[in-house]
């Protein structure tokens, strides 16, 4: 009798990429939350705000340059992980449609910070 595995084993590089991807995604989420906090509560814009802004704009540039697909997800697929980061938490169709929403949600505080800085 053949034993059936409950979980598919991936190469160790997949777990390393997933961990790095999750850490990077968490960093960008914290940057986004921080920018919304600054827009609605803080009166002075500091270098930390500009750092978070540059990080989010950089993420957007990398995402756009890779054709709308996260490069880390592409590397994960290369090593046998078919889901990517958001595919672990969401159905694949929904995961693919999340990125444009995140871009719009991220553009709002960045635009407001730039507007506040140069008015």
């Amino acid at each position: 009798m053949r034993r059936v595995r409950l979980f598919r084993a991936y190469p160790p590089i997949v777990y390393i990429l997933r961990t790095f991807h999750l850490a990077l995604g968490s960093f960008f989420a914290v940057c986004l939350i921080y920018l919304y906090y600054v827009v609605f509560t803080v009166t002075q814009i500091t270098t930390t705000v500009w750092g978070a802004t540059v990080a989010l704009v950089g993420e957007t540039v990398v995402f756009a340059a890779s054709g709308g697909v996260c490069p880390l997800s592409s590397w994960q697929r290369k090593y046998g992980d078919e889901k990517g980061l958001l595919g672990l938490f969401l159905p694949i169709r929904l995961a693919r449609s999340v990125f444009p929403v995140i871009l719009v949600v991220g553009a709002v505080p960045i635009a407001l910070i730039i507007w506040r800085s140069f008015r």
Side-chain angles (χ1 to χ4, degrees):
M1 178 183 270
R2 186 174 171 214
R3 295 178 80 179
V4 177
R5 297 176 79 168
L6 293 176
F7 301 102
R8 180 178 170 196
Y10 291 107
I13 188 71
V14 170
Y15 295 110
I16 292 169
L17 285 172
R18 279 184 178 179
T19 303
F20 182 69
H21 203 173
L22 182 61
L24 202 58
S26 299
F27 168 74
F28 290 129
V30 168
C31 286
L32 186 61
I33 291 167
Y34 176 66
L35 289 182
Y36 271 103
Y37 168 75
V38 167
V39 164
F40 292 114
T41 62
V42 178
T43 58
Q44 185 177 7
I45 295 179
T46 62
T47 56
T48 308
V49 174
W50 288 116
T53 302
V54 168
L56 288 176
V57 169
E59 175 198 21
T60 303
V61 167
V62 168
F63 181 73
S66 63
V69 178
C70 180
L72 288 175
S73 293
S74 300
W75 287 349
Q76 284 177 239
R77 278 190 216 94
K78 176 182 172 183
Y79 291 108
D81 185 7
E82 61 277 344
K83 291 188 175 188
L85 178 64
L86 290 177
L88 296 174
F89 308 108
L90 300 171
I92 296 298
R93 270 192 252 154
L94 184 60
R96 290 188 180 144
S97 64
V98 165
F99 288 116
V101 173
I102 291 173
L103 292 176
V104 170
V105 168
V108 170
I110 292 171
L112 289 173
I113 286 171
I114 292 171
W115 177 73
R116 278 179 50 186
S117 295
F118 297 110
R119 65 179 167 137

